Amino acid sequence: MSVILAIESSCDDTSVAICNNGKITANVIANQTIHQNYGGVIPELASRVHQQNIVPAVQQALISAKVTKQDISAVAFTRGPGLLGSLLVGVSFAKSFALALNIPLISVNHMHAHILAHFIDDPKPNFPFICLTVSGGHTQIVLVKDYFDMEIVGETLDDAAGEAFDKTAKLLALPYPGGPLIDKHAQHGNPLAFKFAEPQIADLNFSFSGFKTSILYFIRKQEKENPNFIAENLDDICASVQYSIVQILQNKLKKAAKQYGINEIAIAGGVSANSGLRNGLQQTADELGWKVYIPAFQYCTDNAGMIAIAGYQKYLKQDFVGQDVSPMARMEF
Ligand code: KG4
Ligand code: ZN
């Protein structure tokens, strides 16, 4: 029997979840809207808002999971990678909570947790599988051999896929985070209206910085001829950009699947909430005979449910850390 309380505070969402014997019974996410005023996450503000959100989020999670503090067997927390000031709030809280209740602490790598989110609901992938993890800070193709035996076989050399969405959104004067808004507009646009060149990277790595610059030049050129170009073509621009990013991601995924002879394919991270990627992957799966695994929306973007399930797997192995643990902005995979 185990009840794990999990804390996620790596970026701008404060999240607390409860995992009761391997089942997620609460997943509270407190979003920070303040960053919308600045076009990106301001680390100092994020850290301060985590401090305000964390205690109410813990209380809400305990209530919705119908457990008390005394029922908790261990506290899992995101150690990294992420914003140091944000991580510090979650790590400090987890340490004090564990110390006060005299229960063990479990350290979780945020990028592992995005992948392990696939073990929350059925159907669960079979090992080995390939996971494309696409978030605001990372773009990785991971060969997942076991719960904590994972190998990065491809990753971005510059910007992450989420950044490509967010930076394009900024060019289009859409507020932060722009990914979900591009997705929304794309649903009313023509994905083939405009064409953007696919970066030519030979192996399983990605590059999005040149892609982003090509969009910038394209928009500047169009605006010289028609100052209202963006307003008049917003849906088509969003649909075309989204289509191109999804093509780039899917082509590498196809290459990885072929190279490793694996047809169990998963996606994870914030960008896996993208409708173009979800639909595209389903289509590719039908064509190539893949079994695809796409997390429920609440487990795509940052959430403590994924930290709780990763924590549960570590709890089963009694893999605990001491009170001397500290957050890591960069953390080895
Ligand atoms: O995993 P996540 O919540 O945080 C990080 O660990 O980075 O990912 C956030 C990223 C942001 O770049 C956001 O714009 C993107 O995921 N995102 C989306 C969608 N929902 C979130 N991008 C495209 N379409 C979406 N529907
Ligand atoms: Zn994340």
Side-chain angles (χ1 to χ4, degrees):
M1 296 288 280
S2 68
V3 179
I4 314 286
L5 176 95
I7 312 278
E8 154 63 31
S9 71
S10 65
C11 191
D12 59 339
D13 296 322
T14 319
S15 183
V16 179
I18 305 279
C19 180
N20 198 331
N21 282 322
K23 291 264 166 288
I24 302 300
T25 51
N27 185 38
V28 174
I29 303 173
N31 299 119
Q32 302 186 359
T33 48
I34 191 164
H35 307 287
Q36 283 173 359
N37 306 332
Y38 303 93
V41 176
I42 309 293
E44 175 58 29
L45 289 179
S47 171
R48 273 191 245 165
V49 183
H50 280 306
Q51 291 177 46
Q52 291 160 7
N53 286 351
I54 197 152
V55 172
V58 168
Q59 278 165 341
Q60 208 182 318
L62 292 172
I63 292 168
S64 53
K66 297 188 177 66
V67 291
T68 66
K69 274 184 275 189
Q70 282 65 36
D71 297 322
I72 310 291
S73 330
V75 185
F77 62 94
T78 305
R79 185 176 185 196
L83 300 171
L84 199 58
S86 290
L87 290 165
L88 198 55
V89 177
V91 174
S92 308
F93 184 91
K95 283 163 70 169
S96 339
F97 198 88
L99 189 66
L101 291 172
N102 194 25
I103 52 177
L105 269 173
I106 301 171
S107 152
V108 174
N109 180 314
H110 182 86
M111 300 312 294
H112 285 171
H114 267 302
I115 297 172
L116 296 176
H118 285 285
F119 295 91
I120 294 176
D121 292 328
D122 286 326
K124 300 178 173 72
N126 299 298
F127 299 116
F129 65 93
I130 286 176
C131 186
L132 169 71
T133 314
V134 268
S135 69
H138 295 83
T139 301
Q140 301 172 334
I141 294 184
V142 181
L143 178 60
V144 188
K145 300 170 216 171
D146 206 341
Y147 291 108
F148 298 100
D149 184 5
M150 308 182 186
E151 184 188 343
I152 298 172
V153 294
E155 62 189 327
T156 185
L157 304 174
D158 39 58
D159 289 353
E163 272 179 290
F165 273 106
D166 296 339
K167 288 181 178 173
T168 306
K170 210 168 178 177
L171 293 177
L172 302 174
L174 296 171
Y176 178 86
L181 293 168
I182 293 207
D183 192 354
K184 207 166 141 202
H185 285 286
Q187 291 175 24
H188 309 287
N190 172 9
L192 303 177
F194 308 109
K195 227 178 141 28
F196 303 105
E198 187 169 330
Q200 297 301 310
I201 311 280
D203 46 24
L204 293 175
N205 291 330
F206 299 89
S207 167
F208 285 104
S209 73
F211 176 78
K212 178 194 67 197
T213 312
S214 76
I215 295 171
L216 171 69
Y217 287 154
F218 166 79
I219 289 174
R220 275 196 193 152
K221 187 163 167 263
Q222 297 293 331
E223 278 188 323
K224 263 190 197 151
E225 289 159 25
N226 173 9
N228 291 328
F229 175 74
I230 292 179
E232 288 171 13
N233 297 278
L234 188 58
D235 291 348
D236 283 349
I237 301 171
C238 289
S240 301
V241 167
Q242 177 166 303
Y243 178 79
S244 303
I245 295 176
V246 170
Q247 286 301 109
I248 294 168
L249 296 173
Q250 286 218 84
N251 285 342
K252 291 288 174 170
L253 208 39
K254 284 182 194 170
K255 198 168 177 169
K258 199 168 167 196
Q259 191 169 319
Y260 290 94
I262 290 177
N263 67 356
E264 297 262 326
I265 309 291
I267 53 172
V271 180
S272 63
N274 183 265
S275 63
L277 181 58
R278 295 168 88 94
N279 297 337
L281 195 63
Q282 206 64 61
Q283 267 177 24
T284 309
D286 294 343
E287 281 162 31
L288 301 179
W290 287 353
K291 267 181 89 177
V292 295
Y293 301 89
I294 301 175
F297 281 112
Q298 63 166 328
Y299 301 124
C300 287
T301 43
D302 289 348
N303 68 90
M306 67 186 196
I307 306 302
I309 203 79
Y312 171 67
Q313 286 300 332
K314 286 200 165 182
Y315 183 83
L316 295 178
K317 299 195 299 174
Q318 303 277 292
D319 184 352
F320 304 135
V321 290
Q323 282 285 337
D324 57 343
V325 67
S326 53
M328 294 178 87
R330 289 169 180 273
M331 193 171 171
E332 210 174 301
F333 192 70

